[in-house]
Each structure stands twice: as structure tokens, then as C-alpha cells.
Amino acid sequence: MPDTRDGDAFAAAAANGLLERHAEAVRLFGERVRAVGDGRWDAPTPCTEWTVRDLVNHVTGEQLWIPPMVTEGRTIEEVGDAFSGDVLGEDPVGAWERASGAAHAAFAAPGALDRTVRLSYGPALGRAYCAELTADCVVHAWDLSRGIGADDRLPDGLVEFALKEVMPYADGLAASGLFAAPLEVPAGANAQTRLLALVGRQG
């Protein structure tokens, strides 16, 4: 009988690495949410149709979907419009903290990354869903940083993770309506500039 212990150890390490990246991305976005001043919620962002509040509302809404999809195994149709509209209420920071905390706990639960999640484009493993939303959170952390005038330099590890995640499907992102068309990447560009160009942003 083959010894699967090395494979199990590798899978566990990969899962732990993914969860660490997700936690780091959520933490980064949360730092920017807490830095939004009272007069900045209506400020524009690189997402041309979204204000700062719209952007935070979008990313918070994404977190709210995770527990019912991953933990409860519900479909998009079953969740319906539960998270449509304003999910921030009178306490945007608190809404983000609660939603992101519950989202990370859902992904970190035993077996969650190996479950099948039924997404809009079809079934996917929880780990793929986690990786996708981690990369999304990284990009939107840059958007939010720009919107509030904060430091927009992203951590190298998160940039490399998001770049690796985005590259295989970058050409289809614009069709989703959530990203602009990819830009030409300047020669010699660093990893953050390459990532931003893939999602239609000028770094």
C-alpha cells in the first residue's frame, strides 16, 4: 500500500498557506476600511461606477455569501437576494468586521476547502472559491487605497498570489462586468503593475 503521508502533509500545507493568504488579504482590506474618514465614503474609486462606500459594500457582500455557500452548501438561487442592496447599514466598519470574520471562519472549518461549492459559473472546490475571493480582495484593497488616498503599495506575497490566480482567466475578467479590459503591461514592470494591468488598472 503506498504511503500517502507525504501527500497529506503537502495538501495540509497548501491549505494552510491559502488560508493564511486569505486572512492576510481580508486583514489588509479591513485596515483600509477602518482608515476611511467620515468625508471619504462618497469619494470616487478606480472602479468608475463605485464610490468608496459602494466598493466596501461590494466586498462585504462577497464575504456574506461565503458561509451559506461553503458551510451550508446552498445554491445561488437558494440565497437569492439576501445580500442585495446596502449591507453596510449605519456601521460600515462593523459590518465588514462581522462579515469577513464569518467568511474566514467558514473557509477555515475542517474540510471546507475540499467541499464543492455551486457558483454562478458552475461547481468548484472551496479552495478555488477561496483563492478567487482572496485575489479579488487584494485588487479591491488597491482600489480602496486609491479612493481614500492611502498607501497603495500591496504586500509582495499577496501580489504574487493574486497574479498567479488571475493570469489564467485574465482575458475573461472584462466580460464579467466587474473589471475593465486588460492594459498593456510596460516592459520591465514589477509584479504589482502587472497584476493591476491584467485587471484593467493603471498602477
Side-chain angles (χ1 to χ4, degrees):
M1 180 178 295
D3 188 343
T4 61
R5 287 175 296 180
D6 288 346
D8 291 344
F10 179 82
N16 288 337
L18 174 57
L19 290 171
E20 288 171 4
R21 287 298 182 220
H22 180 261
E24 187 181 359
V26 166
R27 187 164 55 249
L28 175 66
F29 192 85
E31 289 171 357
R32 297 299 184 266
V33 173
R34 290 188 294 276
V36 179
D38 290 340
R40 299 296 297 179
W41 288 100
D42 292 326
T45 71
C47 303
T48 54
E49 297 182 1
W50 286 347
T51 64
V52 165
R53 184 181 175 94
D54 293 332
L55 175 61
V56 174
N57 189 71
H58 165 73
V59 183
T60 302
E62 286 187 323
Q63 311 311 305
L64 291 171
W65 277 89
I66 294 169
M69 299 287 284
V70 174
T71 306
E72 302 168 22
R74 296 167 69 184
T75 65
I76 290 176
E77 293 74 21
E78 288 169 342
V79 176
D81 60 0
F83 307 125
S84 298
D86 177 34
V87 299
L88 300 180
E90 298 297 320
D91 181 16
V93 174
W96 164 258
E97 297 289 356
R98 291 187 294 273
S100 59
H104 185 72
F107 279 134
L113 297 182
D114 295 318
R115 292 178 196 147
T116 297
V117 183
R118 291 168 286 181
L119 304 175
S120 59
Y121 51 79
L125 287 178
R127 67 182 64 249
Y129 186 32
C130 183
E132 176 185 330
L133 290 189
T134 299
D136 188 74
C137 199
V138 172
V139 173
H140 285 320
W142 182 86
D143 292 329
L144 185 52
S145 298
R146 280 293 178 100
I148 65 174
D151 184 358
D152 64 8
R153 290 172 297 176
L154 300 169
D156 291 343
L158 285 179
V159 170
E160 293 291 349
F161 177 91
L163 189 58
K164 183 177 179 181
E165 174 66 16
V166 167
M167 284 183 69
Y169 55 84
D171 290 341
L173 289 175
S176 72
L178 296 177
F179 294 98
L183 304 178
E184 184 174 347
V185 180
N190 62 24
Q192 177 167 319
T193 301
R194 296 201 308 274
L195 170 64
L196 295 173
L198 284 175
V199 292
R201 287 152 170 80
Q202 185 74 49

